[in-house]
Amino acid sequence: MKKLLLFLIPLLFISNGHAWYDEFLYRRCFDIIEMAGYNLTNYTYMLILDTSSLVPSKVKLDCSDLIVTDAEDNKLSRFLLGCGTTSTRIYFKIDLAPLSRRTYCLYYGNPRHIEYNNHSVFVNFEDFEYLTNLNWTVFGCTITDADKYTGYYSVLCGRNKFIETYLEGNELNFAIKGSYRVGATTYTSTTWQLFTTSFSSGITRFTATSDNSYLDTVFSRYVVSPEPKVYFHIEESIGVYSIKVESYCLGDYIVNEVINCRGPVCEVHKNATHCYYGCYAGRCNESPFDRVVVLVLVAVGLLFLFYIVWRMTR
């Protein structure tokens, strides 16, 4: 009977839709719709997602258990910024024919999974970690671990000092704490903030306009206008289930066998509890003292009931 249960229970929780990726508890699929006539190949798409209500109840604090897949459940490289906020950015590559739609899915809720950011989704990327990714010209700036937007390091520049490199794309993103001039515009923030602006491929210079200005997480991509729209489906849950199978005695211990299912994957777990007064027929014996107390209370109750009946019949 136990073997039969182990065979049948996993079948009860398999989704009727397309296959469920790995051991994630939640899935939310979405359609990306191209409506402007662009033929998008290897296009870096930016998905905005509210994760403030997902962290930490469904998603880990660093969102490392949030992944992106295509409709065939092939996991895609992604880069995520702003975990736990109302405007989390998730970048990943898409292919989309003109005036068409494709389905993608977010999976989350797997504490054992660790998904790392992959900056290959961008045209250019720099986070100043260990070895720089781009060929920078530096005038009076240093790489420091005193503060950062992501990772461990950033660039620190004093007033009128600058750092520059060749960047491709038409959308530029960069995080600063302090004040920098990029092109003809000055960007200022007393706390770390990610800025997004349009630009043209070429030498891009970041010039500090105040002392102790930090720069981090610089990346670029090509974007079309208007970008494809997104339509979210409802969240699906594959669930966690526990089913008690059997309890039996092993000496002075009671052993409980429980089937724990995480989606379609089920495992049998055993736990044992010591019975101080022995075990019989899958149950711990009651304390002799407790049994005596119960008998005394029952006897007192019967005597009191007999007394009431006797007084009423006199």
Side-chain angles (χ1 to χ4, degrees):
M1 180 62 182
K2 192 187 304 180
K3 291 182 179 179
L4 181 61
L5 281 171
L6 288 174
F7 175 75
L8 290 177
I9 289 174
L11 297 180
L12 296 176
F13 307 123
I14 294 178
S15 172
N16 290 326
H18 65 267
W20 197 278
Y21 188 91
D22 205 4
E23 296 182 10
F24 291 84
L25 293 179
Y26 306 99
R27 175 175 70 191
R28 190 172 188 187
C29 295
F30 54 95
D31 294 334
I32 298 180
I33 309 168
E34 204 295 305
M35 299 185 295
Y38 294 110
N39 185 20
L40 303 178
T41 303
N42 206 31
Y43 180 81
T44 300
Y45 188 75
M46 180 182 69
L47 179 72
I48 300 295
L49 180 70
D50 182 358
T51 59
S52 61
S53 60
L54 301 178
V55 176
S57 59
K58 296 181 179 180
V59 179
K60 293 195 292 187
L61 292 173
D62 60 357
C63 288
S64 62
D65 61 338
L66 193 156
I67 67 168
V68 182
T69 72
D70 61 19
E72 289 72 44
D73 275 334
N74 299 305
K75 186 165 68 71
L76 306 178
S77 297
R78 58 84 163 152
F79 196 97
L80 185 148
L81 291 170
C83 178
T85 68
T86 57
S87 55
T88 302
R89 298 186 182 192
I90 306 172
Y91 296 90
F92 55 97
K93 297 279 193 178
I94 65 171
D95 293 314
L96 203 57
L99 307 177
S100 67
R101 72 168 63 196
R102 289 195 68 181
T103 300
Y104 296 84
C105 293
L106 299 170
Y107 283 90
Y108 45 95
N110 183 354
R112 292 181 290 182
H113 186 87
I114 300 177
E115 187 72 15
Y116 295 101
N117 277 339
N118 189 331
H119 61 74
S120 66
V121 300
F122 301 118
V123 177
N124 296 121
F125 177 84
E126 182 62 77
D127 60 357
F128 306 103
E129 299 295 309
Y130 309 111
L131 297 175
T132 55
N133 298 306
L134 304 175
N135 185 22
W136 293 90
T137 298
V138 181
F139 180 73
C141 302
T142 58
I143 293 179
T144 177
D145 62 356
D147 209 341
K148 79 282 186 184
Y149 181 69
T150 58
Y152 300 96
Y153 298 95
S154 65
V155 164
L156 176 63
C157 298
R159 183 187 298 270
N160 296 326
K161 307 303 181 183
F162 67 85
I163 181 171
E164 67 180 15
T165 192
Y166 182 85
L167 295 173
E168 295 182 78
N170 59 9
E171 182 192 87
L172 176 64
N173 299 265
F174 54 92
I176 68 167
K177 180 181 178 182
S179 183
Y180 278 90
R181 184 174 63 254
V182 183
T185 305
T186 298
Y187 301 87
T188 302
S189 179
T190 57
T191 59
W192 279 108
Q193 183 174 341
L194 184 68
F195 290 94
T196 300
T197 185
S198 58
F199 85 118
S200 299
S201 298
I203 297 296
T204 304
R205 177 178 292 187
F206 300 85
T207 303
T209 56
S210 66
D211 288 330
N212 298 317
S213 290
Y214 294 90
L215 172 70
D216 197 7
T217 316
V218 178
F219 58 93
S220 62
R221 64 177 181 136
Y222 285 101
V223 298
V224 296
S225 182
E227 282 205 271
K229 303 298 183 181
V230 62
Y231 169 76
F232 282 100
H233 302 188
I234 62 171
E235 181 186 76
E236 301 171 82
S237 174
I238 201 166
V240 177
Y241 306 86
S242 293
I243 302 173
K244 186 175 180 180
V245 177
E246 184 181 5
S247 296
Y248 57 89
C249 295
L250 186 63
D252 288 336
Y253 289 83
I254 182 172
V255 179
N256 297 306
E257 288 191 2
V258 177
I259 295 178
N260 289 331
C261 295
R262 186 184 183 87
V265 180
C266 295
E267 298 176 339
V268 176
H269 295 273
K270 296 182 181 181
N271 61 75
T273 303
H274 182 253
C275 298
Y276 290 97
Y277 305 102
C279 181
Y280 178 75
R283 298 180 61 183
C284 288
N285 294 328
E286 297 179 359
S287 163
F289 175 77
D290 292 341
R291 189 176 303 171
V292 169
V293 170
V294 170
L295 291 175
V296 169
L297 290 176
V298 170
V300 170
L302 290 174
L303 287 174
F304 181 74
L305 180 61
F306 176 77
Y307 173 75
I308 295 297
V309 173
W310 175 73
R311 288 295 301 267
M312 292 178 62
T313 56
R314 286 187 59 186

